[in-house]
Amino acid sequence: MLAHLSLKQFAVVTAAELSFGPGLTVISGETGAGKSLLVDALGLLSGLRADSGVVRHGADRAELVADFTLDDAPLATAWLAENELDETGDGDAPICQIRRVIRADGGSRAWVNGRPVTLSQLGELASRLVEIHGQHEHQALLTRASQLDLLDAYGRHEAAREPVAAAARAWSALLRERDGLVAQGDVSDRIGWLEHQHAELEREALEPEAIAKLNADHRRHAHAAGLIAACEGAFARIGGDEGPSLTRTLQQVRGDLQRVAEHEPRLAEVDAMLDNAAIQVDEALSLLDRVRDDLDLDPAEFERIEARLGRMHELARKHRVAPEQLAATRDGVGAELEQLRGAGERLDALDAEIGAARKRWRQAADALGRARRDAADSLSARTTELIGELGMGGGRFAVEIEPQEDDRPDPNGAERVEFMVAANPGQPPRPLRKVASGGELSRISLAIEVAAFGLDAVPTMVFDEVDTGIGGAVAEIVGQKLRALGGSRQVLCVTHLAQVAAQGHAHYRVAKAASEGVTQSAVQVLASKQREEELARMLGGVELTKEVRAAARRLLADVG
């Protein structure tokens, strides 16, 4: 839901801050005051192209900011998460802020939750937050995709659409797999080359543990002479071959201390330490002896290890990986080899699987198509009835369903939808996107939305001049329908009729004034008395008589 809209240096508005709540909010003002600027601002925040003409004269840039709460916008919430643009506000309530700056030189930039986005991304997000019903370039319901979504929402086809989408995904995956295999062409040469590569890798022990042991063996053999000399020298010095034995010296020291230990208790602790040292020395001598026995000056073994290590590094260079990654490379070559060897068999199996997947999709799509045709008849009849109530007597609305021209795994089903309208009796139905009158288009959109109970997933709907060309009882009906739609969706409506404005849950007035020769517009939320005055102005023009004010009070009283 749109919670707040901020405009700065935009057209004739110097600065305006508007807060919105649920239900129907109406916006009124004198002709030329700029009441449709709010709709234009939302259009620019929805990704429409902008030029320097929207920047207020004398300013270097215009800035537009809209804050949305996302409790009622699951599609927008999912899009924000998918594009890593999601944010939270106080109490972790999901929020979304859209900001756009248009410079006087015609350039512009856009941000979502403080992060820069493209106009294409802005349009994708805004289409999940707000629908603008008015001029053609704003119309959400003019696209066939939106019309199909609305029909499915009206018919509550969520359960029927999911099997179609799942079957289409499975069918598409199988087609991609087959295309990939076919694109490989004759793979016999590739198989031969991979077999050679795999056999070469298989001849060596390539696990990281084996490579680590080979490196350790190489270091040990490369330094065998030095290791032998060091072990023998240490054994001689510790064991007593070159001077007094370290073990014997420790025993002598212990004996000397034990004879006087009774006079100093702490010497018993020293004796225990020396005893442990003697044990450690004996164990060190034993380990030195074993290490020396394991060492051997064997030039032939050293050459064999060097040759293996050389082959290992050569393989690593050949495959452009570290030696420790050769095992993974070998496994990858083996996996590709097995896949290619079974490519022919897999192609045969894929043909059967694709046929079965297509059949499953067709069955699910046919069931969805039947449900859509039933919903189309109901929506057509209900909308035609509402069009008559909204001052377009004799007009007809129909949902035209056509089969897709090509046989492909479409997740949306097997048919296309077009909303068709005959605005006047005797006229043939034409696509909704070709309806010329902006007022008629807005009223038809209102009829469709009311007929569909506001079931589409977009939480905010904007109607611009929906009451153009009507008056009297029809205007009151339009207002009632807008208010009814406000029971399930947030609705904003720019209007010049008091009968429509009286139905609003909230009311803004846009007024213009000249200051130092420059026209400026200001936006004001109306309290009860101010609202009565505005309705009287809309009813009576320049002279506000007692009768006009009484009529304004009656309009408000009738709404309750």
Side-chain angles (χ1 to χ4, degrees):
M1 181 180 74
L2 178 64
H4 186 264
L5 181 64
S6 172
L7 312 178
K8 294 181 180 177
Q9 307 298 342
F10 180 61
V12 293
V13 176
T14 303
E17 302 283 339
L18 296 87
S19 296
F20 300 95
L24 171 62
T25 297
V26 295
I27 302 163
S28 65
E30 296 178 359
T31 302
K35 54 184 178 292
S36 288
L37 285 177
L38 303 179
V39 180
D40 296 338
L42 287 173
L44 291 171
L45 288 167
S46 299
L48 291 182
R49 295 288 175 182
D51 58 45
S52 59
V54 303
V55 181
R56 186 171 175 271
H57 180 69
D60 59 353
R61 66 179 188 176
E63 182 173 349
L64 314 173
V65 181
D67 294 325
F68 292 86
T69 59
L70 299 177
D71 296 332
D72 53 357
L75 295 183
T77 302
W79 187 93
L80 287 166
E82 181 181 344
N83 288 271
E84 298 181 346
L85 293 167
D86 46 337
E87 193 61 81
T88 56
D90 296 338
D92 294 332
I95 62 169
C96 174
Q97 183 183 83
I98 298 177
R99 176 172 172 253
R100 189 170 181 187
V101 171
I102 301 108
R103 299 192 304 272
D105 61 8
S108 75
R109 294 183 65 191
W111 296 262
V112 170
N113 288 333
R115 280 160 276 186
V117 296
T118 65
L119 289 186
S120 175
Q121 288 177 304
L122 202 62
E124 291 177 11
L125 172 59
S127 68
R128 294 160 170 81
L129 289 170
V130 59
E131 284 183 359
I132 301 178
H133 301 280
Q135 299 305 312
H136 287 233
E137 63 269 27
H138 296 170
Q139 266 289 344
L141 282 181
L142 297 183
T143 66
R144 286 190 163 190
S146 296
Q147 293 172 1
L148 182 63
D149 288 342
L150 180 60
L151 177 64
D152 284 338
Y154 176 77
R156 293 177 170 83
H157 297 152
E158 294 87 352
R161 282 187 68 153
E162 180 51 36
V164 176
R169 289 192 296 269
W171 184 7
S172 296
L174 292 170
L175 289 175
R176 287 193 299 270
E177 183 181 354
R178 184 180 66 181
D179 291 344
L181 291 176
V182 171
Q184 292 174 349
D186 185 3
V187 296
S188 57
D189 290 342
R190 175 73 175 172
I191 289 175
W193 183 80
L194 288 174
E195 286 176 338
H196 171 74
Q197 296 288 313
H198 194 253
E200 192 175 47
L201 291 164
E202 278 283 297
R203 284 195 290 268
E204 301 293 338
L206 300 177
E207 272 60 35
E209 299 81 6
I211 293 175
K213 182 178 184 303
L214 181 63
N215 284 321
D217 288 347
H218 181 265
R219 288 193 300 271
R220 187 167 58 252
H221 279 79
H223 299 88
L227 288 169
I228 290 172
C231 288
E232 289 180 344
F235 194 91
R237 288 193 295 274
I238 296 173
D241 293 345
E242 297 180 3
S245 166
L246 185 55
T247 303
R248 187 177 303 110
T249 299
L250 288 172
Q251 293 300 330
Q252 289 174 351
V253 171
R254 289 186 64 204
D256 292 342
L257 292 176
Q258 287 171 357
R259 284 192 291 274
V260 297
E262 59 179 316
H263 306 301
E264 173 53 70
R266 286 176 294 177
L267 291 178
E269 186 176 351
V270 174
D271 181 63
M273 292 179 182
L274 293 174
D275 185 33
N276 288 332
I279 293 172
Q280 294 292 323
V281 169
D282 287 342
E283 290 182 355
L285 283 171
S286 177
L287 182 56
L288 272 173
D289 191 41
R290 292 196 302 273
V291 170
R292 172 61 188 88
D293 289 344
D294 291 341
L295 294 170
D296 191 10
L297 287 173
D298 187 347
E301 178 64 12
F302 182 52
E303 289 180 5
R304 187 186 69 79
I305 292 174
E306 278 209 318
R308 281 190 61 202
L309 200 57
R311 292 195 299 273
M312 204 75 66
H313 285 286
E314 179 62 28
L315 286 171
R317 284 193 296 272
K318 185 175 182 178
H319 292 277
R320 298 180 181 181
V321 296
E324 292 76 17
Q325 296 174 314
L326 283 171
T329 300
R330 177 200 60 206
D331 296 341
V333 171
E336 184 181 355
L337 188 57
E338 287 301 314
Q339 181 183 11
L340 292 179
R341 284 170 175 164
E345 297 176 1
R346 180 58 184 152
L347 274 173
D348 293 338
L350 274 173
D351 287 338
E353 291 180 25
I354 288 171
R358 182 190 179 282
K359 183 178 179 180
R360 286 194 297 272
W361 177 85
R362 173 54 63 183
Q363 290 173 342
D366 287 348
L368 177 59
R370 290 190 295 271
R372 281 172 171 166
R373 285 187 286 274
D374 291 342
D377 292 341
S378 174
L379 181 60
S380 298
R382 177 62 180 141
T383 304
T384 296
E385 178 185 345
L386 287 167
I387 286 175
E389 292 180 29
L390 297 177
M392 299 171 66
R396 289 184 297 117
F397 174 84
V399 180
E400 186 176 274
I401 298 180
E402 301 174 348
Q404 292 279 14
E405 295 177 357
D406 54 349
D407 187 18
R408 58 189 175 87
D410 191 332
N412 293 315
E415 50 274 321
R416 299 186 304 168
V417 166
E418 181 84 75
F419 285 1
M420 307 291 290
V421 175
N424 298 297
Q427 292 182 344
R430 300 171 59 219
L432 179 63
R433 52 193 164 84
K434 295 184 179 180
V435 173
S437 166
E440 286 181 347
L441 184 59
S442 291
R443 270 179 281 154
I444 292 168
S445 298
L446 173 60
I448 295 170
E449 293 290 356
V450 172
F453 316 114
L455 284 170
D456 52 352
V458 178
T460 298
M461 297 179 182
V462 182
F463 292 89
D464 185 18
E465 302 287 356
V466 68
D467 46 18
T468 298
I470 63 172
V474 174
E476 186 173 353
I477 292 172
V478 169
Q480 292 171 352
K481 300 303 182 187
L482 285 165
R483 188 177 179 92
L485 187 58
S488 58
R489 288 288 183 270
Q490 182 189 45
V491 180
L492 310 181
C493 178
V494 176
T495 181
H496 65 275
L497 292 182
Q499 293 92 332
V500 174
Q503 297 288 333
H505 297 93
H507 192 156
Y508 276 99
R509 178 179 62 201
V510 181
K512 65 178 180 178
S515 175
E516 298 180 358
V518 178
T519 299
Q520 299 183 30
S521 290
V523 185
Q524 178 186 11
V525 63
L526 302 181
S528 179
K529 187 63 178 177
Q530 293 169 316
R531 191 173 182 190
E532 181 183 309
E533 287 293 306
E534 175 65 3
L535 292 181
R537 182 198 65 78
M538 297 170 76
L539 285 168
V542 177
E543 185 178 355
L544 303 184
T545 65
K546 293 180 179 179
E547 291 77 11
V548 170
R549 286 192 170 92
R553 285 194 294 273
R554 280 197 302 274
L555 284 176
L556 291 172
D558 289 343
V559 174

